[in-house]
Amino acid sequence: MKIKILIFLFALSSVTLFAQQSDPNKKEDFSDDWAALSKYKRENELLAPTAKGEKRVVFLGSSIFEFWKQKDPEYFKRNPYIDRGISGQISPQLLIRFRQDVINLKPKAVIILAGSNDLAGNKGHVSNETVLNNIKSMAELAKKNHIKVILCKYLPIYEYPWNKNLKGVADQIISLNDEIVAYAKANHFTILDYWTPLVDERNGQKAEYTEDGVHPNFAGYKVMETVTEQAIDKILRRRK
């Protein structure tokens, strides 16, 4: 009798499990996808292989990069550039995405812009050391895979509109930028300076170049495009 009951319970659980797996109305669970690998998975799969002589560059970052292709999509359409920015992401999420969204795309170079959301306290308290360690790991992965590295001095920010109680924002960004520059020089990586052309007298962004003090407007992105092209020309030895 006990054996019959066990067989019945096993059969019932199998039917239930099958019903759960085959339920067409059940939404896929992405709770394990902390780094949002699913966002660009399909785009990456559809991306054509690197053409002969193509000097592909991947832009890896958060909202600054994601909004860039929305504000000025032509910049990315007319160049062999792949934008892999995801709004709100912190540096460990970029590190997790690095293989899928950079290495596997086989670029000649990667531009890494990381740190602002960490310092904004989006996911708790983060030190410059933590951010820099994640940047170092990404740079080392790129170098090992023969991808040239461009590290960015972060854009100036006086305060975060969603966290105005956070003090000393500009000073911490200056400090992080100094550490990024020192690391880049020690390892012969190229520095892309977004700070200098955008900074105002408060060490925030110039009003004419920003939407909210954090994200650039169209004019701000045009300034960024100028210095970005200079950095890419240098590292890829392109001739104009």
Side-chain angles (χ1 to χ4, degrees):
M1 183 68 179
K2 289 183 178 179
I3 293 176
K4 290 182 178 180
I5 293 173
L6 287 173
I7 293 173
F8 173 76
L9 291 175
F10 176 77
L12 181 63
S13 64
S14 298
V15 170
T16 303
L17 178 61
F18 176 78
Q20 290 175 342
Q21 291 176 338
S22 60
D23 182 0
N25 297 315
K26 185 179 179 182
K27 292 183 178 180
E28 188 173 354
D29 184 2
F30 286 106
S31 60
D32 62 328
D33 190 12
W34 179 69
L37 289 166
S38 56
K39 182 175 177 70
Y40 290 115
K41 183 175 184 295
R42 184 60 177 159
E43 283 187 47
N44 290 345
E45 290 172 348
L46 295 174
L47 193 66
T50 307
K52 185 177 181 180
E54 177 185 346
K55 295 185 176 181
R56 179 178 288 178
V57 180
V58 174
F59 291 54
L60 186 73
S62 54
S63 58
I64 302 294
F65 278 176
E66 183 173 12
F67 296 166
W68 193 342
K69 64 185 174 185
Q70 297 169 12
K71 293 285 185 183
D72 191 9
E74 289 302 316
Y75 179 63
F76 293 92
K77 289 179 181 178
R78 68 175 181 264
N79 290 299
Y81 301 161
I82 300 172
D83 188 312
R84 289 297 178 260
I86 297 182
S87 180
Q89 286 209 327
I90 54 178
S91 58
Q93 291 173 303
L94 303 185
L95 177 56
I96 290 173
R97 290 201 291 121
F98 202 83
R99 182 164 298 278
Q100 174 188 283
D101 290 343
V102 180
I103 296 171
N104 291 352
L105 305 187
K106 302 186 183 304
K108 290 290 185 181
V110 60
I111 300 175
I112 301 170
L113 180 64
S116 178
N117 288 316
D118 304 64
L119 302 186
N122 286 13
K123 300 293 182 182
H125 305 288
V126 180
S127 67
N128 282 9
E129 181 182 10
T130 301
V131 177
L132 190 62
N133 282 341
N134 288 322
I135 291 173
K136 287 178 178 180
S137 294
M138 288 185 273
E140 289 167 7
L141 281 169
K143 185 176 180 180
K144 186 173 181 61
N145 286 275
H146 311 291
I147 300 169
K148 294 183 182 295
V149 178
I150 300 175
L151 300 181
C152 302
K153 289 181 67 174
Y154 214 90
L155 288 67
I157 299 171
Y158 180 74
E159 67 178 7
Y160 293 98
W162 59 87
N163 191 0
K164 291 188 176 182
N165 292 325
L166 195 63
K167 305 300 181 185
V169 171
D171 290 339
Q172 190 164 12
I173 290 177
I174 290 170
S175 175
L176 177 60
N177 282 345
D178 288 345
E179 292 181 45
I180 291 171
V181 169
Y183 170 71
K185 287 182 177 179
N187 290 274
H188 308 290
F189 296 138
T190 297
I191 278 290
L192 174 45
D193 183 3
Y194 288 138
W195 170 276
T196 302
L198 298 175
V199 70
D200 67 9
E201 68 281 354
R202 297 195 308 170
N203 288 327
Q205 279 180 60
K206 293 177 181 177
E208 63 267 32
Y209 292 143
T210 184
E211 298 276 359
D212 55 6
V214 175
H215 302 95
N217 56 22
F218 182 78
Y221 280 122
K222 283 299 182 184
V223 172
M224 290 174 64
E225 287 168 18
T226 298
V227 293
T228 298
E229 289 303 297
Q230 292 170 354
I232 296 175
D233 286 345
K234 177 181 178 182
I235 199 169
L236 297 184
R237 298 176 182 175
R238 298 188 309 189
R239 294 181 180 179
K240 292 293 186 179

